Amino acid sequence: MKESVCIIGSGNWGSAVGKIVAENVSKHPGLFHPDVRQWVFEEDYQGEKLTTVINRERENPKYLPGIKFPPNLQAVPDLVKASRDASVLIFVLPHQFVREVCEIMKDHISPTAKAISLIKGLEIKPEKVTLFSEEISKKLGIRVSALSGANIADEVAQERFCETTIGSQAKEDGELFYRLFHTDYFKVNVIRDYVGVELCGALKNVVAVGAGISDGLGYGSNTKAAIIRLGLMEMRKFGQSFFGTVEDSTFFESCGVADLITTCSGGRNRKVAEAFVRTGKPIDVLEKELLKGQKLQGTLTAQEVHAFLSARKMTKEFPLFTTVYRIIYENEPVESIVREITC
């Protein structure tokens, strides 16, 4: 049976992924159904429905302007219609919507479906940390892999060479997702440590907020390099303290140190954090101004990580994570990004 692919989400990264997936589906006609459905949260765009514009213009002018989509990628505003009988699900949406989306989809997907999460976030509560691959798996009763890497969406969409990492427990799922994502410009490496892949994808955003604060203060490359190094150490310590299966080698994959460097150099978390320092505007205002209303993951993750560490009286063991939280949420002086982490 041919696999039927559905992409859940259509923001900046989701649109770039849609282009790759639709192209690769066409390259493997014996494996995949030719059409790829992409669920798009319906919005107004210049007086028209966004899905209407996407399907007519073959691009998403709101979140990825100027990038043309293959003809087999279809924007669908109804989640049930988009996911009906799908056997491959690609989740690429803000993590706060995962549970609601899964609840709507659960009775309509193929019983043999498998999924992959491109969500760069964790659900972190004082009592536990939940991986979104595991949450999706629990809600839908299917196997879920994870993808994360040094993948700024605009550059991927422009076909500039980069790498990414897929973590998959099942070998056959890893092989399937390799065919679905690997291209000459988007190089995929498949590993088994899906936990490490997801942890890196979420925690690096906190470090990027710290890097952006440093940039806003004009502290230069040496300071940012120190923040990146300290951030990588705290990412590793968090993973191995609370998830014993995380492997050291994962931090040297694209999902680890490469994604950390990229995000601290040019990602949205760095960009908004720099503006936070330079303008003094609140994060929610900057999200509207700089991200077209999309939510920043790094600040939210910093808040959740702090609550989790506080419940265990371990905040002092993670000085960078803690300082980022206090600057954003407790009006700690922005200069603390250096002063507090070097004590």
Side-chain angles (χ1 to χ4, degrees):
M1 293 180 63
K2 293 184 179 181
E3 304 282 2
S4 177
V5 180
C6 173
I7 303 170
I8 311 298
S10 59
N12 184 240
W13 182 216
S15 296
V17 166
K19 175 178 179 292
I20 289 175
V21 168
E23 289 172 347
N24 277 347
V25 160
S26 296
K27 292 176 184 177
H28 301 284
L31 183 57
F32 299 106
H33 282 289
D35 294 327
V36 176
R37 289 166 285 172
Q38 183 162 34
W39 176 61
V40 176
F41 179 77
E42 192 69 280
E43 301 178 65
D44 176 80
Y45 180 77
Q46 297 183 354
E48 291 187 271
K49 293 180 178 180
L50 181 59
T51 52
T52 300
V53 177
I54 291 173
N55 288 329
R56 184 184 67 234
E57 303 296 333
R58 308 309 310 156
E59 71 173 87
N60 187 330
K62 182 168 185 179
Y63 296 116
L64 197 65
I67 301 298
K68 292 300 180 182
F69 297 151
N72 61 325
L73 183 65
Q74 179 187 13
V76 182
D78 187 297
L79 179 57
V80 171
K81 289 182 179 178
S83 59
R84 191 182 303 280
D85 299 324
S87 61
V88 177
L89 301 167
I90 300 168
F91 285 85
V92 54
L93 75 167
H95 70 253
Q96 56 265 39
F97 303 119
V98 167
R99 283 194 178 87
E100 178 185 354
V101 162
C102 287
E103 192 65 31
I104 295 171
M105 295 170 51
K106 66 180 182 180
D107 296 324
H108 305 283
I109 63 176
S110 167
T112 60
K114 68 286 296 177
I116 187 166
S117 171
L118 279 65
I119 301 167
K120 291 191 175 182
L122 303 167
E123 182 181 71
I124 307 176
K125 295 183 178 180
E127 64 273 16
K128 66 176 182 176
V129 178
T130 301
L131 303 173
F132 281 101
S133 65
E134 294 177 345
E135 184 65 22
I136 294 167
S137 178
K138 183 174 69 174
K139 287 286 184 182
L140 300 182
I142 60 177
R143 295 193 304 266
V144 184
S145 303
L147 181 150
S148 186
N151 308 141
I152 293 177
D154 291 348
E155 295 182 13
V156 173
Q158 294 165 20
E159 301 188 5
R160 297 178 183 175
F161 179 81
C162 67
E163 299 175 310
T164 199
T165 311
I166 289 177
S168 179
Q169 288 180 295
K171 182 179 179 181
E172 61 270 27
D173 290 355
E175 292 172 350
L176 176 71
F177 289 124
Y178 178 89
R179 293 186 182 183
L180 201 54
F181 286 97
H182 181 80
T183 72
D184 290 342
Y185 63 88
F186 193 68
K187 182 183 176 183
V188 173
N189 188 37
V190 181
I191 64 175
R192 289 185 58 85
D193 183 14
Y194 74 97
V195 175
V197 170
E198 286 187 83
L199 281 173
C200 287
L203 296 176
K204 56 91 180 181
N205 287 327
V206 181
V207 185
V209 173
I213 292 169
S214 175
D215 285 347
L217 290 165
Y219 281 171
S221 299
N222 291 342
T223 304
K224 189 192 290 192
I227 289 172
I228 291 172
R229 187 193 72 81
L230 290 167
L232 183 62
M233 296 295 290
E234 291 191 19
M235 287 166 58
R236 177 177 175 271
K237 184 175 183 178
F238 190 95
Q240 296 186 342
S241 295
F242 307 115
F243 294 88
T245 60
V246 175
E247 299 176 11
D248 263 345
S249 58
T250 301
F251 293 93
F252 296 94
E253 293 284 344
S254 180
C255 64
V257 64
D259 194 13
L260 180 61
I261 292 169
T262 296
T263 308
C264 290
S265 300
R268 64 179 61 183
N269 290 279
R270 188 219 63 82
K271 177 181 178 181
V272 173
E274 179 182 19
F276 173 79
V277 175
R278 294 189 185 278
T279 67
K281 294 179 181 179
I283 292 294
D284 59 342
V285 172
L286 293 170
E287 287 172 337
K288 294 176 182 176
E289 293 181 357
L290 301 178
L291 303 181
K292 300 177 183 178
Q294 295 185 90
K295 291 298 181 182
L296 200 66
Q297 298 298 317
T299 51
L300 177 59
T301 302
Q303 185 180 39
E304 293 174 341
V305 165
H306 183 76
F308 180 82
L309 294 173
S310 294
R312 287 154 183 78
K313 296 180 170 41
M314 294 179 66
T315 55
K316 291 184 179 180
E317 297 182 39
F318 295 85
L320 178 62
F321 289 172
T322 300
T323 300
V324 168
Y325 165 79
R326 288 177 175 164
I327 289 172
I328 299 299
Y329 292 102
E330 295 184 351
N331 297 316
E332 187 90 3
V334 289
E335 293 81 8
S336 299
I337 195 62
V338 171
R339 185 174 65 241
E340 296 300 324
I341 64 176
T342 56
C343 293

